[in-house]
Amino acid sequence: PVTAALLSCRRYVAGGQCKSTARLEGKVVIITGANTGIGKETARDLAGRGKVILACRNIAKAEAAASEIRAESGNQQVIVKKLDLADTKSIREFAEKFLAEEKELHILINNAGIMLCPHSKTVDGFEMHLGVNHLGHFLLTFLLLERLKQSAPARIVNVSSLAHHGGRIRFHDLHGEKSYNCGLAYCHSKLANVLFTRELARRLQGKSQRVEFTANALHPGSVRSELVRHSFVMSWLWKIFSFLLKTPREGAQTSIYCAVAEELDSVSGQYFSDCQPAYVSPWGRDDEIAKKLWSVSCELLGIHWD
């Protein structure tokens, strides 16, 4: 009975699985932070379906992941490109090179993220969580948007977190200079992902009745990954309770689902967990905050995005 109970507990922890067998022949996917954790597992799955670009800061790690995935999938179209989301110059260079080399882009998975790091700033002076998790992906999406539109039907998938429930957009102190808590900073940035997805979907749908271009957000679950490396306590807890955490492969299922599931062809602006719609915090459903965050983000990045 104990073994049966443990097995059913494990099955429950594993959560939903993406059942779609959709092929991506002739399609191009970008996954940020795909050299480790759920990003790598998402890349591993999608490489069995089509062309995948691993957009990563650590090139050595990314090349090792890519060669492992190429060997396993037999797909040589697994390519590494340098992208540092903590540096807008790097983001612009990545987009420029990609646009020069690739004529199409069908799926953009904004997966990379940092968590619980001490107060620090990106190259451009943004608080690190907000800068990498939100502003970096906001700019990347902006720069690749036209290519996605030209390649429609296309999808944008933003990896957020259940932690968005603890987040608030503190417009008076976006960069944590007045007060800073690394856990809350992470929550704020994950709320920003949800609000960005909501406003982006609203703007994309406003253009036409047909939804050929979607944006959705998701919670991958609590996953055994390197994300907690900045916190000794969390790393320790993660080890002790590893049985109650998803493996990176299990954690990648909802990202894969949002990227390929046929039933999501015209679903946009939603938030998923375990491959099904999930509850969004009241803050995450506030359209006024979403609009304000959009315009503040544009201002910080020096872009004009209508």
Side-chain angles (χ1 to χ4, degrees):
V2 175
T3 313
L6 287 173
L7 279 171
S8 73
C9 172
R10 191 69 204 83
R11 270 198 297 275
Y12 175 76
V13 168
Q17 265 202 314
C18 177
K19 304 274 198 309
S20 171
T21 54
R23 304 292 304 158
L24 298 173
E25 272 100 357
K27 298 203 169 180
V28 181
V29 182
I30 290 176
I31 308 171
T32 67
N35 58 354
T36 184
I38 64 171
K40 182 179 172 184
E41 293 305 320
T42 305
R44 194 192 301 277
D45 180 286
L46 298 184
R49 305 170 191 250
K51 181 172 183 173
V52 179
I53 292 167
L54 282 57
C56 306
R57 185 173 53 93
N58 187 327
I59 292 295
K61 242 180 162 180
E63 286 293 1
S67 64
E68 184 190 314
I69 292 168
R70 281 194 290 266
E72 196 181 290
S73 64
N75 178 5
Q76 294 312 299
Q77 296 279 280
V78 179
I79 297 157
V80 171
K81 306 255 189 218
K82 169 87 173 166
L83 171 68
D84 182 354
L85 288 158
D87 181 354
T88 57
K89 186 168 173 276
S90 170
I91 299 167
R92 289 180 180 279
E93 281 169 2
F94 169 87
E96 209 175 294
K97 279 186 186 150
F98 173 83
L99 295 172
E101 290 164 12
E102 300 286 345
K103 293 296 157 249
E104 292 191 303
L105 174 59
H106 304 88
I107 302 167
L108 170 61
I109 303 179
N110 290 319
N111 161 83
I114 54 156
M115 180 182 180
L116 304 176
C117 60
H119 190 258
S120 53
K121 298 277 181 79
T122 67
V123 173
D124 303 272
F126 309 138
E127 186 276 315
M128 194 60 79
H129 291 90
L130 186 80
V132 171
N133 298 353
H134 168 60
L135 292 169
H137 284 129
F138 188 94
L139 178 60
L140 180 66
T141 307
F142 167 74
L143 295 170
L144 299 175
L145 197 74
E146 281 313 308
R147 190 55 43 93
L148 280 156
K149 280 183 179 170
Q150 291 158 10
S151 313
R155 299 184 185 192
I156 294 167
V157 178
N158 293 325
V159 179
S160 178
S161 167
L162 183 69
H164 85 269
H165 285 274
R168 300 288 181 271
I169 304 301
R170 302 166 72 245
F171 290 108
H172 66 287
D173 188 22
L174 272 181
H175 305 295
E177 277 149 351
K178 293 175 185 157
S179 71
Y180 182 78
N181 173 295
C182 62
L184 287 176
Y186 176 71
C187 295
H188 302 333
S189 70
K190 293 287 111 181
L191 173 62
N193 294 153
V194 171
L195 291 165
F196 168 44
T197 306
R198 189 176 180 88
E199 180 62 9
L200 178 59
R202 188 187 71 78
R203 286 163 175 259
L204 295 173
Q205 271 170 316
K207 302 277 188 287
S208 72
Q209 289 312 300
R210 293 184 67 204
V211 185
E212 287 210 314
F213 189 22
T214 64
N216 290 300
L218 67 104
H219 166 55
S222 298
V223 180
R224 293 202 290 273
S225 74
E226 292 176 20
L227 203 55
V228 293
R229 64 186 176 273
H230 292 291
S231 166
F232 171 75
V233 175
M234 286 293 276
S235 302
W236 183 70
L237 287 170
W238 245 227
K239 278 193 180 77
I240 292 175
F241 296 108
S242 65
F243 186 77
L244 297 172
L245 297 170
K246 290 186 179 189
T247 63
R249 191 182 163 278
E250 290 161 353
Q253 294 302 307
T254 308
S255 295
I256 298 161
Y257 174 74
C258 288
V260 302
E262 298 87 342
E263 63 267 34
L264 299 187
D265 277 347
S266 58
V267 173
S268 193
Q270 299 302 307
Y271 171 74
F272 294 87
S273 176
D274 280 329
C275 303
Q276 55 189 13
Y279 180 74
V280 176
S281 80
W283 273 73
R285 285 176 273 132
D286 191 316
D287 289 332
E288 289 316 303
I289 293 175
K291 283 172 193 159
K292 186 174 179 185
L293 177 64
W294 185 283
S295 64
V296 168
S297 301
C298 287
E299 217 170 284
L300 287 169
L301 292 163
I303 59 175
H304 185 70
W305 188 353
D306 269 344

